[in-house]
Every structure is written in C-alpha cells, then in structure tokens.
Amino acid sequence: QVQLVESGGGLVLPGGSLRLSCSAPGGTFSSYSTGWFRQAPGKEREFVAAARWSLGTTYYADAVKGRFSISRDRANSVVFLQMNGLNPEDTAVYYCAAGRPIRSTIETTGGYTIWGQGTQVTVSS
C-alpha cells in the first residue's frame, strides 16, 4: 500500500497562487484515483478535487472550480493541486487521498483508503 506525503503549503496573499504536491514514496498512483480534501478549523473535511486517472476524468467542488486544477506527473508518482486566485476562505489543512472510489463516492472521504498527513494553507494579508 502506498503512503502519501503532501508538501507545498504555506502563507499566501489573497489573489495569490500555490501548488501542492502529493508524492507516493516507493509507489505510484497508477492504480488509484486521487483526491484532495481540506479541513478548516471547526469544520468537517470537505472535498476539493479528484481525478480518476484511468478514465481521464476530473472533478471539482463548486467553490474551487475554475481556480484549482488537479494533475499528475508523467511517472504517476506525484499528484499536484494548482491553486490560483486564493482567498481567505481557502485557508485550511489540505489532504491528499488515494483509493478506488466509484462515481458516487469520489467526492466523499469514504471513497478513499489512503491519506496523507496534510499541509497547511493560509491565505491572509
């Protein structure tokens, strides 16, 4: 089973950009779908973006559609979340997840079995 390690979080000004990375040391994402979730203080973990690589399909939460983009490298060993146009409401701990969700579960935490430790994203002036 792969392990996931996120990186790329930090402090950014409103309107700025960050790119989060999720690596799978010693493994690849080739047999998994991948999702990004986030959790703000006092709130439940929520879906951000996901990709079913085998189908070439991507999914985004309405709150990030048009601003965030999920992608992966050619070796299938790193998954990225490019975040543009960040605003304070995007402040949260961001988690990478991998699994084999079906369409009805791809936007739910229950659709994934492997999670990273999270990386903090803070959007503030």
Side-chain angles (χ1 to χ4, degrees), residues 39-79:
Q39 188 166 17
K43 295 187 177 181
E44 293 187 353
R45 193 169 298 189
E46 65 176 6
F47 170 75
V48 175
R52 300 175 79 184
W53 305 113
S54 61
L55 300 177
T57 54
T58 56
Y59 309 85
Y60 296 94
D62 288 343
V64 307
K65 203 169 292 182
R67 299 188 297 124
F68 291 12
S69 177
I70 187 171
S71 63
R72 65 178 177 176
D73 71 339
R74 295 176 65 87
N76 300 325
S77 63
V78 184
V79 173

Side-chain angles (χ1 to χ4, degrees), residues 82-114:
Q82 178 66 42
M83 306 186 296
N84 300 325
L86 286 162
N87 57 62
E89 289 70 38
D90 295 315
T91 295
V93 177
Y94 283 71
Y95 297 90
C96 176
R100 298 185 176 92
I102 58 177
R103 178 59 186 96
S104 62
T105 62
I106 199 165
E107 299 181 14
T108 70
T109 56
Y112 302 84
T113 54
I114 308 168

